[in-house]
Amino acid sequence: MTNSLKNLTSILLLLFLAPIVIATIQTPLVTQTQLPEEKKKEETPIVYAAQLESSPIATEITEPKKAFVYFTHYQEAYQPILAAKGEKVAVYHPESNITTFQEQINAQFAFHQVETEFLENYNKQEIKEYNTIRPFVLNALGHNKYDIILDIHRDSMKADVTTLKVGEESYAKFIFVIGGEHENYRWNEQLANNLSDQLNKLVPGISRGVLVKSGKGVDGVYNQDLAKNLLVVELGGVDNNEQEINRSIAILAKAISNMFFQPIAS
């Protein structure tokens, strides 16, 4: 009787443990070596990659924001672009310069619901500094209201500072310059920081941040006293090529759109 009871107990215990043993064999336990790989995947930055190089298909602007764009130092050029065109490699050029990206800026901004106006109808040969372009900017601002105003430049720094490599693609980096010698510069600085943050959310590291300049040897105002939403932005440097500039313009357009249209988190 005692042996029968023991045998019955053994059978019942075996029946109870069998599903657990089978499940363990079929589903291996997660090992410690798998966790870092999963964590690494989660930390990999997601890069915005739509419409980065060619001009996007024109779309109807239904709820537009307005941007005003001009180029104080319009002759600032990119050496790889001049080389590709068989031009003498230089950092300034009267025709093949930063203004050649005007069409790309217009198309990318429109794609992201930002209507763009450019400073036109002035003698560029006479406008090379902040004080000479100032009356034209002032006139434009007196006739229209803009959500953002961009004075776009090309930085003088080399590729190791102005270029970002992400996977197989490279981008021209941005930096925002704020003149700290007028009483309302904090407004310009705040907007620059907001836009810099939006850029880095899309492509981490694409913005080098915000540089406030004042003191001897610098302009210190950059016409930003004319409007609280006027930003001087450096788009890449002397070593950046056309593809890198185009990709970054697309990122800039998306970042501006996000800044205007995305709801502020509470």
Side-chain angles (χ1 to χ4, degrees):
M1 185 70 177
T2 302
N3 290 336
S4 298
L5 184 59
K6 287 182 179 179
N7 291 336
L8 180 60
T9 302
S10 299
I11 292 170
L12 290 174
L13 182 61
L14 180 61
L15 291 173
F16 176 75
L17 293 175
I20 298 174
V21 173
I22 293 171
T24 302
I25 294 171
Q26 292 179 342
T27 308
L29 295 176
V30 177
T31 63
Q32 291 289 332
T33 56
Q34 290 174 303
L35 294 177
E37 183 180 353
E38 292 177 1
K39 185 177 181 182
K40 184 177 180 181
K41 289 180 181 179
E42 292 174 359
E43 293 176 349
T44 302
I46 299 174
V47 177
Y48 173 76
Q51 303 287 355
L52 293 186
E53 294 188 29
S54 60
S55 296
I57 299 172
T59 57
E60 182 181 356
I61 301 177
T62 55
E63 298 181 43
K65 295 292 183 179
K66 291 188 70 174
F68 180 56
V69 176
Y70 63 98
F71 310 89
T72 295
H73 298 155
Y74 79 96
Q75 288 192 339
E76 291 176 330
Y78 300 90
Q79 295 187 58
I81 296 176
L82 291 175
K85 293 181 177 181
E87 298 275 3
K88 181 181 178 180
V89 175
V91 295
Y92 297 99
H93 195 277
E95 295 176 359
S96 184
N97 52 54
I98 194 168
T99 64
T100 60
F101 291 96
Q102 185 168 310
E103 182 178 340
Q104 178 76 349
I105 292 169
N106 186 62
Q108 292 290 352
F109 279 34
F111 182 75
H112 292 290
Q113 299 293 296
V114 179
E115 193 177 86
T116 311
E117 291 182 15
F118 295 87
L119 183 61
E120 303 283 3
N121 302 321
Y122 67 100
N123 188 341
K124 291 182 180 179
Q125 298 298 327
E126 298 177 359
I127 308 300
K128 296 182 179 180
E129 298 299 335
Y130 295 101
N131 64 320
T132 52
I133 204 169
R134 183 181 179 89
F136 297 92
V137 176
L138 186 59
N139 181 64
L141 300 186
H143 289 85
N144 295 281
K145 184 177 180 180
Y146 302 100
D147 296 287
I148 191 168
I149 304 158
L150 300 175
D151 181 5
I152 301 181
H153 295 250
R154 182 267 298 140
D155 203 339
S156 60
M157 302 297 286
K158 303 291 286 182
D160 59 334
V161 175
T162 67
T163 306
L164 174 69
K165 183 79 172 179
V166 181
E168 298 299 317
E169 307 290 359
S170 55
Y171 300 81
K173 289 185 179 182
F174 297 93
I175 189 170
F176 297 90
V177 179
I178 302 298
E181 295 182 8
H182 65 96
E183 60 181 1
N184 291 319
Y185 82 92
R186 291 291 186 186
W187 291 95
N188 307 83
E189 183 183 13
Q190 180 179 344
L191 179 62
N193 278 312
N194 289 344
L195 184 50
S196 178
D197 289 344
Q198 289 291 342
L199 286 164
N200 284 330
K201 285 179 183 177
L202 293 169
V203 182
I206 196 170
S207 174
R208 294 158 54 200
V210 178
L211 177 63
V212 179
K213 300 183 74 172
S214 61
K216 187 177 180 179
V218 300
D219 183 278
V221 177
Y222 305 108
N223 290 323
Q224 291 167 342
D225 59 322
L226 298 179
K228 297 176 181 178
N229 58 346
L230 196 163
L231 303 179
V232 171
V233 52
E234 305 271 6
L235 171 56
V238 292
D239 292 329
N240 288 109
N241 61 42
E242 185 173 2
Q243 291 74 29
E244 292 165 346
I245 300 297
N246 283 336
R247 291 186 195 114
S248 293
I249 289 172
I251 300 299
L252 177 63
K254 176 63 174 173
I256 290 173
S257 178
N258 286 352
M259 187 172 66
F260 285 140
F261 295 111
Q262 284 187 352
I264 299 174
S266 57

